[in-house]
Amino acid sequence: MSMFSMVLMILFSFIAFVLGVFYLLAKYKRITLTICSFFILIGFGLYTAGYLSFGEGFAHTLLAALRGLFSTARMFIMSHDYGVIASVQGAQWLTENIWLQILFWLAHVSAAIVMQAVLFSLFGQKMMESFRLRFGLHKEVYIIKGSDINALMLGENIATHDMTQKSPDPKRLVLFLLEENRHMEQSLKKAVYFGGIARVLNRKNDLRHYLDKAGFGKWRSRRKKYHVILMPEDTSVPDDALDVAEYAKEKAVTSENLDIFVIVSSEFEWIREQIESFTQNQNARSKFPCTFHMINEMDLLVRAMLEKHPPYQCKGLRFSGGIAKRQFNAMILGLGDVGKQALLHLIMNGQFITKDRSRMRAIVVDKEKDHACGSFWSCYPALKPPLNLVCEIKPESCDVWSEDFLALLDKWHDIDYIIVALNGNKENKDVARIIRQYYKSKGTTLPVIAVSEKNEGLHRVQQGDVFTFGCREEIYKDAVIIREKTDRVAKAIHNVYGGLPPWHALDWFRQESNRAMANFIPAMLKLANISEEKAIEEEALTEDPALAEVLAETEHLRWNAFHAAMGYETISIDEMQKRFGAYNGDSDPLEYARRDSGDRLHVCLAPWNDLDAVSETYRELAHRTDNKKEQMRDFKANDRSIVQYIPKFLRAARGER
């Protein structure tokens, strides 16, 4: 072999070694360093054992250990003392044993890898991150645009599957895109702690630039799932969301590979409305290959509260045959942003059939009750008295520090749920203590008392039925934001009913409707007195016709509550007939007659007993068209089928038939 060939081989081997180490450190850094540390300890043991051959006694043993430690240290500067050991008489156990020699040199290679890792961490962090970004074999890429503490908290939870005490998942890559601000340097440092990568957005490197760097649209991205998460920090969120969607179209990204999460705070609710109106356009939804998720921070806080303490678990309801002993009663103290969201979610989750067919009751206590309730009803007209379609709302003006408040608790007995959402954390806690003391003095069952505590730390201990909610740590989690479990069931519901159009092409409202149905399934299982595992084995949720009818009526109540909480109003039968006659568009006149997504109208937003008349009139209109399917429409049958299909939904969500 020529000198040139030898030099070329050595050079090639060195490059292969460096790249191999680079790849291992980029993808499996902790595992690689753990294995290397093990072999280095073996090297120390071999050196020490070799030096023990020089003599016997305590002094020689101590000297052998020190020389072994020194030789081990020399391994890190690419040097070795193999010749010293080989010259010792009695060290043939090492020099004549090929397997021990392999271990010996593996120890030296491991020391070289550790040293290379140190050099990379000191001088090559950016290079290693760029390598991971472009060539890493991760299966999921999470791109978070935001630099505040909530963004970092979410990134760490995503990287560790909400188990921050464990190592980050090597299959997940978290990329932070930061604006140039005072948080930037701190965020850059913190992201490294859990294996995240942080990059700064500026004039030269924009959002699309880093999407491209992350392999967005490249051939290897076909095997990756991308989650772009836009935090509620600025007003450019709608533009960013549409920019990502347009770029996905240009790069031919498939809809299964991209989800865009837009998180908004209550003061920027109009951002959600902008994107929601955009996704109601069928052409736009088909154009962009992605699924939009619009998420309100306050909505998440309340939803997390209800997941821990759902209304169907309240002791006073006492279900039998799917029927509650009495209606669900809630009290809301303060109808601000928190109180409003809490009321809406309680309405969506507190719908149960009672013996006297009474509706849920909500007592709203606010000093400015006329203004607060007037503003609330203008946004949610179907909840305004005297309709009382899903909830009887009773406004009360009262000072919570006066005896009038205790008199109010006397007046409205049988309360199941109390939301304390007043002006401040201290006030909320103090009022909660008063409420608890009141019920204890009466010797009655304590209702669930939920205390809003804005931006405080996570509370793991609650006092009886009194608990706090509102901590950002409770919502900026992988399971809460990404909602894989909820979405899996929601998609299963959609697919059981045909799956058309595809999930990503559904507008945000219809996706949320499926999610609301998925969230109510545990309540349905409770009413049917059946476990999820047992239900999955059944063809229908119940074989009892009477119970099936009660559950169907409950489902319609839930559906009404969801639409009312989304701002929908009802269309009367006369109005439906007029809309049908006045329609001159190109699409289905029946669709226009019964619902209007733009103006938020629906003819089925009506009491259960009115659905027969609605169905009969609708079928008469359908006979004026060639739509054979709609000529057989029975709106009650829709609710009945949903209930009986619950086992199918659950099986489909698990990937079973």
Side-chain angles (χ1 to χ4, degrees):
M1 182 181 292
S2 65
M3 180 64 68
F4 176 77
S5 299
M6 291 178 64
V7 172
L8 193 63
M9 181 179 294
I10 293 171
L11 183 61
F12 176 78
S13 300
F14 175 75
I15 293 174
F17 172 74
V18 172
L19 290 178
V21 172
F22 196 82
Y23 174 78
L24 289 173
L25 292 176
K27 186 167 173 55
Y28 304 109
K29 183 177 180 180
R30 293 195 178 186
I31 297 175
T32 302
L33 294 180
T34 301
I35 294 173
C36 288
S37 300
F38 173 73
F39 280 112
I40 290 170
L41 287 174
I42 289 178
F44 170 73
L46 291 174
Y47 269 122
T48 303
Y51 290 132
L52 284 173
S53 302
F54 278 100
E56 298 179 355
F58 176 78
H60 282 290
T61 301
L62 179 61
L63 181 61
L66 291 174
R67 293 188 69 178
L69 184 63
F70 179 77
S71 294
T72 303
R74 279 169 51 81
M75 291 164 54
F76 291 97
I77 59 172
M78 312 302 176
S79 184
H80 65 83
D81 292 330
Y82 180 76
V84 177
I85 296 178
S87 64
V88 178
Q89 189 174 5
Q92 292 82 2
W93 56 271
L94 172 62
T95 57
E96 295 180 1
N97 189 313
I98 187 64
W99 295 109
L100 289 179
Q101 290 186 58
I102 289 174
L103 286 176
F104 180 84
W105 293 113
L106 277 176
H108 283 75
V109 171
S110 297
I113 292 174
V114 171
M115 198 61 200
Q116 192 170 338
V118 172
L119 293 174
F120 279 145
S121 65
L122 292 175
F123 308 108
Q125 186 66 35
K126 286 281 187 182
M127 184 170 60
M128 187 177 293
E129 289 179 348
S130 298
F131 184 89
R132 287 178 58 209
L133 201 57
R134 280 189 173 275
F135 305 109
L137 297 182
H138 36 264
K139 300 296 183 183
E140 297 177 88
V141 181
Y142 294 82
I143 302 172
I144 303 176
K145 185 176 182 242
S147 58
D148 65 357
I149 186 63
N150 293 333
L152 290 168
M153 188 189 307
L154 175 59
E156 184 175 11
N157 284 328
I158 287 173
T160 60
H161 296 274
D162 294 330
M163 295 179 287
T164 53
Q165 71 277 12
K166 294 190 176 182
S167 301
D169 185 347
K171 295 181 181 179
R172 290 186 166 187
L173 175 70
V174 181
L175 170 64
F176 292 93
L177 301 182
L178 315 175
E179 299 286 355
E180 292 182 298
N181 57 34
R182 58 190 175 87
H183 300 295
M184 184 185 68
E185 289 298 328
Q186 186 179 17
S187 299
L188 286 169
K189 295 177 181 178
K190 286 186 176 180
V192 178
Y193 294 158
F194 52 85
I197 297 175
R199 292 290 184 265
V200 179
L201 295 169
N202 49 40
R203 293 183 179 180
K204 181 180 178 181
N205 300 320
D206 60 4
L207 182 58
R208 289 192 174 204
H209 171 80
Y210 286 117
L211 289 174
D212 188 63
K213 290 289 186 183
F216 200 70
K218 301 293 193 301
W219 64 269
R220 61 182 178 276
S221 70
R222 308 301 178 193
R223 299 171 307 200
K224 296 181 180 180
K225 177 74 174 178
Y226 286 83
H227 307 264
V228 178
I229 304 171
L230 305 174
M231 302 297 291
E233 294 183 358
D234 53 56
T235 57
S236 68
V237 168
D239 295 332
D240 290 336
L242 297 186
D243 192 28
V244 174
E246 289 171 351
Y247 193 54
K249 176 66 176 177
E250 294 174 15
K251 294 293 185 178
V253 175
T254 59
S255 59
E256 295 81 10
N257 287 25
L258 176 61
D259 286 282
I260 300 176
F261 297 83
V262 180
I263 305 176
V264 297
S265 55
S266 56
E267 59 264 32
F268 290 117
E269 184 67 9
W270 61 274
I271 292 177
R272 181 192 63 77
E273 294 173 357
Q274 280 185 289
I275 301 178
E276 181 185 344
S277 63
F278 166 77
T279 62
Q280 288 176 345
N281 185 314
Q282 178 64 45
N283 293 329
R285 294 198 307 273
S286 301
K287 176 182 177 183
F288 297 129
C290 60
T291 300
F292 285 98
H293 303 256
M294 268 71 70
I295 301 171
N296 182 299
E297 279 186 322
M298 200 61 64
D299 179 79
L300 288 181
L301 290 169
V302 174
R303 186 151 54 86
M305 172 194 75
L306 289 179
E307 284 178 359
K308 293 180 180 178
H309 303 274
Y312 70 82
Q313 289 184 352
C314 289
K315 300 174 183 177
L317 299 179
R318 298 180 187 176
F319 297 104
S320 177
I323 297 176
K325 180 182 178 182
R326 56 168 174 76
Q327 81 269 48
F328 174 63
N329 295 316
M331 177 178 284
I332 314 295
L333 304 183
L335 200 61
D337 290 333
V338 179
K340 181 181 74 173
Q341 285 298 324
L343 175 57
L344 291 174
H345 278 270
L346 285 172
I347 288 173
M348 287 190 284
N349 290 275
Q351 300 301 319
F352 310 108
I353 303 301
T354 61
K355 292 181 179 180
D356 60 359
R357 290 302 190 268
S358 56
R359 296 290 173 257
M360 169 189 167
R361 182 186 294 128
I363 298 91
V364 176
V365 182
D366 196 296
K367 286 184 178 180
E368 303 293 334
K369 69 169 186 176
D370 293 335
H371 172 74
C373 290
S375 175
F376 180 81
W377 283 324
S378 67
C379 295
Y380 309 99
L383 298 175
K384 184 177 181 179
L387 184 59
N388 296 337
L389 186 61
V390 292
C391 182
E392 181 185 9
I393 297 179
K394 295 289 188 180
E396 295 278 3
S397 179
C398 179
D399 183 355
V400 295
W401 302 109
S402 68
E403 292 187 0
D404 292 340
F405 179 59
L406 298 181
L408 192 64
L409 293 176
D410 285 331
K411 174 184 176 182
W412 298 109
H413 54 84
D414 288 339
I415 297 295
D416 299 296
Y417 224 110
I418 298 180
I419 305 291
V420 186
L422 299 168
N423 297 321
N425 294 345
K426 185 178 184 306
E427 182 179 11
N428 290 339
K429 291 177 182 177
D430 290 342
V431 171
R433 293 190 188 99
I434 292 173
I435 295 171
R436 184 175 57 189
Q437 185 59 39
Y438 165 83
Y439 280 98
K440 284 187 175 181
S441 66
K442 294 290 183 179
T444 58
T445 302
L446 195 69
V448 175
I449 304 174
V451 182
S452 172
E453 194 167 31
K454 300 176 183 177
N455 301 322
E456 292 293 328
L458 185 62
H459 292 270
R460 302 189 183 279
V461 179
Q462 67 178 48
Q463 299 177 354
D465 288 325
V466 179
F467 69 96
T468 59
F469 72 99
C471 173
R472 293 299 189 269
E473 290 182 41
E474 295 179 336
I475 63 170
Y476 281 106
K477 293 184 175 182
D478 174 34
V480 176
I481 299 293
I482 307 303
R483 296 195 291 184
E484 286 185 356
K485 182 179 179 181
T486 299
D487 274 19
R488 187 165 59 249
V489 180
K491 290 176 184 178
I493 293 171
H494 178 61
N495 291 334
V496 166
Y497 279 98
L500 293 175
W503 177 259
H504 83 278
L506 287 178
D507 61 76
W508 172 82
F509 178 84
R510 291 177 66 187
Q511 288 182 354
E512 282 297 294
S513 180
N514 282 294
R515 292 185 182 110
M517 191 186 305
N519 287 331
F520 201 75
I521 286 179
M524 283 294 193
L525 297 176
K526 169 73 173 180
L527 297 179
N529 194 27
I530 188 173
S531 67
E532 180 175 328
E533 294 302 322
K534 178 64 176 175
I536 288 176
E537 299 174 358
E538 304 295 332
E539 284 302 314
L541 188 61
T542 178
E543 298 295 336
D544 182 347
L547 176 59
E549 194 69 4
V550 168
L551 297 180
E553 187 176 350
T554 304
E555 165 57 23
H556 184 66
L557 264 182
R558 182 211 62 79
W559 185 93
N560 278 348
F562 171 77
H563 280 73
M566 290 293 149
Y568 269 67
E569 294 184 78
T570 188
I571 300 174
S572 68
I573 291 177
D574 290 340
E575 288 172 329
M576 179 174 66
Q577 292 173 316
K578 290 178 182 178
R579 287 172 65 86
F580 180 84
Y583 184 70
N584 58 2
D586 297 328
S587 58
D588 186 2
L590 290 170
E591 178 79 7
Y592 176 76
R594 70 187 173 104
R595 69 180 176 190
D596 188 325
S597 298
D599 290 335
R600 304 202 175 202
L601 303 169
H602 207 298
V603 71
C604 292
L605 187 54
W608 174 256
N609 292 334
D610 292 354
L611 287 184
D612 290 330
V614 173
S615 298
E616 183 179 353
T617 304
Y618 183 78
R619 287 194 294 268
E620 291 174 0
L621 298 178
H623 275 91
R624 302 182 195 178
T625 70
D626 294 328
N627 195 326
K628 302 295 183 183
K629 180 180 178 181
E630 295 303 306
Q631 291 173 16
M632 305 296 293
R633 174 76 73 173
D634 180 351
F635 291 118
K636 280 187 175 180
N638 294 349
D639 296 309
R640 294 182 182 118
S641 68
I642 287 172
V643 170
Q644 297 295 39
Y645 281 178
I646 285 176
K648 291 184 180 180
F649 301 153
L650 296 174
R651 285 196 295 270
R654 293 191 180 188
E656 304 171 4
R657 292 187 176 183

